[in-house]
Amino acid sequence: MVILDGKATADQIKIEIAEKVEDIIKKGGKRPHLAAILVGDDGASQTYVGHKERACVQAGFKSTILRFPAETSEEKLLEEIALINADNDIDGLIVQLPLPKHINEQKVIEAIDPMKDVDGFHPVNVGRMVLGLPSFVSATPDGIMELISRYKIETAGKHCVIIGRSNIVGRPMANLLSQKSNPGDCTVTMCHSRTKNLKEHTLQADIIIAALGVPGFLKGDMVKEGAVVIDVGITRVKADTKTGFRLAGDVLFSEVSPKSSFITPVPGGVGPMTITSLLKNTLKASGN
Ligand code: NAD
């Protein structure tokens, strides 16, 4: 069994990106600039934005975080997005989700200039991705594709079972892995909360992508010998640690890892790869 070390891979990609940035600057080019909007004071969102900012610094990017109180109106947020869209110094913009209930997330996503939408959530980018055209692919699916690619995992003709059909993970993942590409060329089954006999599907899978957000959901008896297992889940569960919680994946690692050929740990698997894909997209948005 091989552990898919997302942290080490992401560190390597960050070095590669930082080298590219240095080269751009040496040639008189512009430093890539990522702006992040954070509304409210949700602990997990603050942590994620903090990680993104640190990664920007490591890669030599300029990073701006715009913080707004939870009671900020939708109108005010849309105005701020319009300002950033018009700001030539800012290459990429992300709005950390979830947003407070009174703000329409879809409206906010659609207000972002698709050319700055480095999260790849805008319908223009989603549509282009589905058609296999150049686009910003959302960071988590892109990070998973990169991890599969860097570990040279064979995907052509394999049966991939994806658990979860969200717009940010399951659905784009199903699309990317079914495309005529490498990685790709998979036969894909997408399972979700209404799927009957889910275990019958997972037992047939050569590759399983668990993205449902239920800690320890995928057990050893649901996986066939030699399967590749990618665990996207990150749920904060109470624990006797300094922070009072630990991060739990959707895969019961102790049971599944002995049966798998490749497996991602949580933490240190998909999470760090997500951030490097955001950097990749920002570099692309800056015209490099
Ligand atoms: P979501 O809640 O939007 O979607 C969950 C999906 O799982 C739904 O489509 C639902 O139908 C399905 N599902 C729920 N319970 C199920 C069950 N019992 N059986 C089968 N399917 C079931 O979640 P999401 O945004 O796609 O995120 C999924 C998980 O991935 C969460 O833990 C989230 O924190 C994590 N995540 C991690 C990263 C990362 O960078 N590592 C990025 C995004 C999301």
Side-chain angles (χ1 to χ4, degrees):
M1 177 265 298
V2 173
I3 301 264
L4 295 168
D5 190 338
K7 182 168 183 319
T9 310
D11 285 345
Q12 174 57 32
I13 296 171
K14 272 186 268 184
I15 291 170
E16 292 166 11
I17 295 176
E19 283 170 358
K20 275 190 198 148
V21 172
E22 269 199 33
D23 202 42
I24 293 164
I25 304 297
K26 261 193 221 147
K27 289 178 179 148
K30 177 189 167 299
R31 198 173 284 285
H33 185 179
L34 175 68
I37 291 182
L38 183 58
V39 185
D41 50 12
D42 175 70
S45 292
Q46 306 242 30
T47 306
Y48 296 145
V49 169
H51 287 161
K52 290 168 191 173
E53 186 182 34
R54 206 171 323 134
C56 277
V57 172
Q58 286 170 338
F61 288 12
K62 196 167 156 189
S63 155
T64 302
I65 303 180
L66 296 142
R67 291 187 164 81
F68 297 97
E71 56 279 10
T72 302
S73 69
E74 181 180 290
E75 198 187 352
K76 163 84 177 144
L77 189 57
L78 294 175
E79 277 169 20
E80 290 294 334
I81 291 172
L83 288 176
I84 296 173
N85 284 343
D87 185 336
N88 288 336
D89 188 59
I90 296 175
D91 303 300
L93 167 63
I94 56 169
V95 177
Q96 186 63 43
L97 302 179
L99 289 168
K101 294 268 176 289
H102 65 278
I103 299 176
N104 181 333
E105 279 187 359
Q106 194 56 31
K107 219 168 161 180
V108 168
I109 289 168
E110 292 188 31
I112 300 172
D113 177 351
M115 302 296 283
K116 295 193 180 191
D117 168 43
V118 289
D119 257 340
F121 294 161
H122 193 288
V124 166
N125 281 313
V126 176
R128 292 182 65 89
M129 184 266 298
V130 168
L131 294 171
L133 296 170
S135 62
F136 293 120
V137 175
S138 69
T140 302
D142 185 70
I144 293 169
M145 294 295 274
E146 180 83 42
L147 197 57
I148 290 174
S149 169
R150 295 227 173 197
Y151 276 86
K152 298 187 169 53
I153 294 171
E154 185 61 54
T155 57
K158 304 284 182 188
H159 182 199
C160 176
V161 171
I162 296 167
I163 315 172
R165 59 176 162 187
S166 75
N167 287 340
I168 63 162
V169 189
R171 206 172 285 277
M173 212 55 247
N175 195 278
L176 291 169
L177 280 172
S178 61
Q179 286 190 13
K180 194 171 170 55
S181 59
N182 182 26
D185 280 331
C186 284
T187 303
V188 174
T189 300
M190 188 158 50
C191 298
H192 46 77
S193 53
R194 304 295 293 270
T195 298
K196 294 197 173 108
N197 306 322
L198 192 133
K199 186 174 161 181
E200 280 178 20
H201 296 287
T202 55
L203 274 173
Q204 289 175 31
D206 302 308
I207 302 170
I208 301 176
I209 302 195
L212 67 159
V214 179
F217 177 85
L218 191 77
K219 313 267 188 312
D221 66 351
M222 296 166 79
V223 177
K224 82 171 176 190
E225 210 59 56
V228 175
V229 180
I230 311 273
D231 189 352
V232 188
I234 25 171
T235 308
R236 286 181 168 200
V237 293
K238 273 194 182 155
D240 196 11
T241 60
K242 248 201 289 181
T243 51
F245 65 85
R246 70 177 174 86
L247 296 180
D250 290 344
V251 175
L252 194 58
F253 191 88
S254 57
E255 284 185 19
V256 175
S257 59
K259 294 181 82 176
S260 56
S261 53
F262 293 88
I263 188 166
T264 57
V266 174
V270 173
M273 294 300 295
T274 295
I275 297 187
T276 50
S277 287
L278 186 65
L279 296 177
K280 266 170 52 188
N281 280 347
T282 306
L283 187 64
K284 197 159 91 177
S286 72
N288 295 286

